[in-house]
Amino acid sequence: MRGWIRSMVALMLFVLALQPVAAKDLSGRDAVSGQAMIDQACATAAAHRNLVLVMFTAEWCPWCRDMKKAFQEPVLVEALKKFELVELDVGKRSIVDGKKRYERHFDLMMRYARTAFIPQLFVLDWKGRLVARLDPADYERANPEGNDPARLARILNRYRLP
């Protein structure tokens, strides 16, 4: 079984080597492909028998900054050990045809999401398939506002590979 997993990881790494890793964001700068980052995390997850946690975020977003701060809490640090974390910065937000859009990784976000908002968390298996969309209402606290690391850790601890 381990030989099979190693073969799959080697194959995935070979395929990743053939893929273009850089893409242009809307500002014209080189940006690492979000899909390449997810693919790399999936390959690592397969080797370590972990899941992948993808977070879409932005520097300007106060809720995203709070999420990053929550990720430093010991209870959440422990829960995150079972995951390969992929953090994708979506850049600036704009409105196009009356709908929210982000300058980077928008199409990738919408592959997993039902609506566009940040921060968004998705659990993927090692093949990159969606396991869960995490609902912020399940891990936010009302007072003081922000993300509750203990509640998020309990949610993340539900997800395990078979």
Side-chain angles (χ1 to χ4, degrees), residues 109-130:
M109 177 196 303
M110 296 314 293
R111 182 181 312 160
Y112 304 112
R114 292 188 178 126
T115 59
F117 66 88
I118 53 171
Q120 274 204 74
L121 297 172
F122 302 99
V123 176
L124 308 179
D125 67 11
W126 62 272
K127 291 183 178 180
R129 296 178 299 205
L130 182 66

Side-chain angles (χ1 to χ4, degrees), residues 3-149:
W4 181 82
I5 291 173
R6 286 183 190 160
S7 297
M8 288 302 297
V9 169
L11 177 63
M12 290 175 82
L13 291 174
F14 176 75
V15 170
L16 283 175
L18 297 176
Q19 299 288 330
V21 176
K24 297 282 185 185
D25 65 19
L26 294 181
S27 66
R29 299 182 313 243
D30 283 337
V32 174
S33 163
Q35 186 61 57
M37 292 173 68
I38 290 172
D39 292 344
Q40 185 175 16
C42 288
T44 304
H48 295 114
R49 299 215 19 93
N50 285 340
L51 292 167
V52 177
L53 182 65
V54 180
M55 178 171 75
F56 289 90
T57 183
E59 290 180 23
W60 55 264
C61 170
W63 285 94
C64 300
R65 288 192 301 266
D66 184 69
M67 179 68 72
K68 289 178 189 178
K69 185 177 163 188
F71 279 10
Q72 304 305 312
E73 294 292 325
V75 67
L76 206 42
V77 167
E78 188 62 31
L80 289 170
K81 288 180 180 177
K82 300 174 196 113
F83 293 88
E84 299 301 321
L85 180 63
V86 177
E87 186 178 319
L88 298 173
D89 188 319
V90 298
K92 295 177 185 175
R93 178 177 58 199
S94 61
I95 304 296
V96 176
D97 296 329
K99 296 180 181 178
K100 273 192 238 177
R101 277 196 67 92
Y102 298 99
E103 69 180 336
R104 290 187 297 272
H105 309 301
F106 182 76
D107 293 334
L108 185 57
M109 177 196 303
M110 296 314 293
R111 182 181 312 160
Y112 304 112
R114 292 188 178 126
T115 59
F117 66 88
I118 53 171
Q120 274 204 74
L121 297 172
F122 302 99
V123 176
L124 308 179
D125 67 11
W126 62 272
K127 291 183 178 180
R129 296 178 299 205
L130 182 66
V131 173
R133 290 177 190 93
L134 302 188
D135 185 348
D138 294 337
Y139 55 82
E140 290 174 348
R141 58 180 173 241
N143 196 8
E145 285 188 351
N147 299 297
D148 185 334

